Amino acid sequence: GQQVMQIPQYQHVQEGEDFTTYCNSSTTLSNIQWYKQRPGGHPVFLIQLVKSGEVKKQKRLTFQFGEAKKNSSLHITATQTTDVGTYFCAGGTSYGKLTFGQGTILTVHP
Amino acid sequence: DGGITQSPKYLFRKEGQNVTLSCEQNLNHDAMYWYRQDPGQGLRLIYYSQIVNDFQKGDIAEGYSVSREKKESFPLTVTSAQKNPTAFYLCASSIWLAGVTGELFFGEGSRLTVL
């Protein structure tokens, strides 16, 4: 079945450093979504990418969808303490299944 | 307010008992999902449904059952056959258009503990 792998599992950075998390699917995706979950909370939607090679930016966050629609990345420039949390990718199929990666736990040291 | 409502927030159960978790949405979304989250892990898909009276197994459906009799409701039953049911359960809904799942809106979750 479809698998979505996400690396790294943990990332510790100093405030101001950059951060990147990567997502790879075993199958071609129809779309990919990214979520952020704070401790004790539920995942909150960040963005969706649909087109091959798509790049989207939200302030300090940059999201990419690979040309083959099997991989994606989230890059945060100049991290802040408010960026702490777990970042998940979720790969979607044409029949409605949405599979989450294992998540990357980001800690930011001031 | 529009949104997803899950209940109960906390639930304790004895081994061998079935328990049903409620999930209701008033967003008029076609698709609904149940995920399980264990400490330090990602979300694993249990069941999902794009339309009333139809649902599909996710990656870890064994020991769980669902129904979709109404568009706004998607209850999950954790049966006694589920070997390790203690977990955080999240329900979500989304639009589903032209084969693309839209943004998932999550409920606050239900934390089940089996004693």
Side-chain angles (χ1 to χ4, degrees), chain B residues 7-27:
Chain B
S7 64
K9 192 169 183 178
Y10 299 95
L11 186 61
F12 297 87
R13 179 196 104 175
K14 293 183 179 179
E15 281 191 21
Q17 289 180 335
N18 290 355
V19 62
T20 297
L21 307 180
S22 170
C23 179
E24 302 278 332
Q25 56 102 354
N26 59 4
L27 299 169

Side-chain angles (χ1 to χ4, degrees), chain B residues 21-22 25-26 31 33 43 63 74 80 88 96 109-110:
Chain B
L21 307 180
S22 170
Q25 56 102 354
N26 59 4
Y33 302 79
L43 284 70
F74 193 41
S80 56
F88 187 50
W96 187 60
S110 294

Side-chain angles (χ1 to χ4, degrees), chain B residues 45-83:
Chain B
L45 182 62
I46 304 173
Y47 271 98
Y48 62 109
S49 165
Q50 277 98 30
I51 195 170
V52 174
N53 292 322
D54 190 35
F55 48 83
Q56 287 77 41
K57 291 182 179 180
D59 299 311
I60 56 164
E62 185 176 349
Y64 300 97
S65 66
V66 293
S67 63
R68 188 84 188 276
E69 296 176 1
K70 297 186 296 183
K71 186 176 184 178
E72 58 269 24
S73 178
F74 193 41
L76 173 74
T77 297
V78 184
T79 75
S80 56
Q82 167 52 231
K83 291 181 172 30

Side-chain angles (χ1 to χ4, degrees), chain A residues 66-85:
Chain A
E67 292 290 340
K69 299 184 75 172
K70 295 180 74 173
N71 59 76
S72 182
S73 64
L74 158 60
H75 179 82
I76 302 178
T77 303
T79 55
Q80 300 175 357
T81 54
T82 53
D83 293 327
V84 297

Side-chain angles (χ1 to χ4, degrees), chain A residues 63-108:
Chain A
F63 304 84
Q64 294 186 326
F65 199 10
E67 292 290 340
K69 299 184 75 172
K70 295 180 74 173
N71 59 76
S72 182
S73 64
L74 158 60
H75 179 82
I76 302 178
T77 303
T79 55
Q80 300 175 357
T81 54
T82 53
D83 293 327
V84 297
T86 302
Y87 292 85
F88 293 100
C89 63
T93 65
S94 59
Y95 46 91
K97 186 178 181 184
L98 196 64
T99 301
F100 279 73
Q102 300 93 325
T104 296
I105 300 172
L106 173 65
T107 55
V108 180

Side-chain angles (χ1 to χ4, degrees), chain A residues 30-31 33 35 37 42-43 45 48 88 93-98 100-102, chain B residues 33 35 37 42-43 45 48 50 59 96 99-104 106-108:
Chain A
S30 61
N31 63 306
Q33 299 176 0
Y35 292 82
Q37 184 178 26
H42 60 270
F45 177 82
Q48 172 163 274
F88 293 100
T93 65
S94 59
Y95 46 91
K97 186 178 181 184
L98 196 64
F100 279 73
Q102 300 93 325
Chain B
Y33 302 79
Y35 289 91
Q37 187 172 31
L43 284 70
L45 182 62
Y48 62 109
Q50 277 98 30
D59 299 311
W96 187 60
V100 177
T101 302
E103 168 188 354
L104 291 188
F106 283 90
E108 295 294 317

